[in-house]
């Protein structure tokens, strides 16, 4: 996967609110609500391939919906810290196993091999990780102290 040729100027707030809307649509079937906390100026933009970034974040949100129980909440937090854009997705599922925390971003990794029968091939977090790396960013998997999985994306913001 090479660097994308299609660069857009992306309004970060609008982008995150669009992710929230798409996540709410996905979560309706399980009565999952999406809470969005955005601590970012309205005028802040990021240069990049909006389609790629949307694909990577929607993979994270789709996983959160898939692994969350019915009638639960997914929280999207977004802020700027030390010139980095930090977007975090927290769910109320069981959280990540030690195996996923260690290998979850590897190509073709699936904790449950039976998922291939339902069209899963262990590529989602691998592709997401590679897209984020194209922005000199980092994808971090962890568990919330109160339970549930946490996926954090950190993308450095550069001048210009």
């Amino acid at each position: 996967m090479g660097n994308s040729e299609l660069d857009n100027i992306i309004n970060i707030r609008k982008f995150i609110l669009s992710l929230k809307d798409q996540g709410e649509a996905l979560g309706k079937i399980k009565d999952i609500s999406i809470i969005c906390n955005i601590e970012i100026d309205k005028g802040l933009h990021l240069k990049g391939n909006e389609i790629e970034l949307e694909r990577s974040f929607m993979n994270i949100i789709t996983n959160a919906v898939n692994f969350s129980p019915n009638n639960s909440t997914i929280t999207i937090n977004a802020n700027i810290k030390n010139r980095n854009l930090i977007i975090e997705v927290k769910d109320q599922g069981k959280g990540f196993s030690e195996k996923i925390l260690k290998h979850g971003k590897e190509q073709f990794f699936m904790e449950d091999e039976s998922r291939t029968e339902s069209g899963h091939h262990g590529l989602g977090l691998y592709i997401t990780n590679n897209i984020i790396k194209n922005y000199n960013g980092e994808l971090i998997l962890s568990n919330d102290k109160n339970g549930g999985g946490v996926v954090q994306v950190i993308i450095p913001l550069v001048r210009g």
Side-chain angles (χ1 to χ4, degrees):
M1 192 178 341
N3 285 330
S4 108
E5 295 177 20
L6 180 63
D7 279 341
N8 307 107
I9 302 300
I10 304 163
N11 180 291
I12 296 173
R13 285 183 68 89
K14 286 182 182 177
F15 178 76
I16 294 167
L17 290 171
S18 173
L19 296 174
K20 177 186 187 280
D21 291 344
Q22 292 178 67
E24 285 176 338
L26 279 174
K28 275 188 181 187
I29 221 164
K30 293 174 74 176
D31 290 320
I32 294 173
S33 60
I34 309 283
I35 295 174
C36 201
N37 302 308
I38 306 174
E39 297 176 21
I40 294 175
D41 292 338
K42 290 181 181 180
L44 191 62
H45 293 79
L46 177 68
K47 185 176 180 182
N49 183 320
E50 190 166 3
I51 294 167
E52 267 188 354
L53 283 171
E54 182 177 296
R55 178 181 182 186
S56 64
F57 281 100
M58 282 312 300
N59 179 63
I60 294 167
I61 292 169
T62 300
N63 284 346
V65 168
N66 288 342
F67 292 99
S68 290
N70 291 350
N71 302 307
S72 63
T73 301
I74 293 170
T75 305
I76 301 171
N77 296 311
N79 61 61
I80 305 296
K81 186 174 182 181
N82 299 327
R83 301 187 53 79
N84 291 307
L85 169 64
I86 301 171
I87 301 175
E88 181 180 76
V89 178
K90 292 184 183 184
D91 65 49
Q92 295 179 325
K94 294 179 188 176
F96 295 110
S97 70
E98 288 302 316
K99 194 173 176 183
I100 291 175
L101 290 173
K102 187 172 183 179
H103 301 288
K105 297 182 280 185
E106 295 174 9
Q107 189 173 15
F108 304 121
F109 175 80
M110 289 185 298
E111 186 168 44
D112 181 0
E113 299 296 328
S114 69
R115 292 188 74 210
T116 57
E117 295 170 9
S118 59
H120 296 274
H121 302 288
L123 292 172
L125 287 176
Y126 170 77
I127 291 169
T128 296
N129 190 48
N130 282 328
I131 290 170
I132 299 306
K133 281 182 178 179
N134 283 340
Y135 293 86
N136 298 312
E138 185 178 7
L139 178 71
I140 301 168
L141 306 177
S142 63
N143 290 314
D144 188 69
K145 64 181 183 234
N146 299 318
V150 179
V151 179
Q152 188 177 62
V153 175
I154 302 171
I155 298 175
L157 296 174
V158 293
R159 272 195 202 275

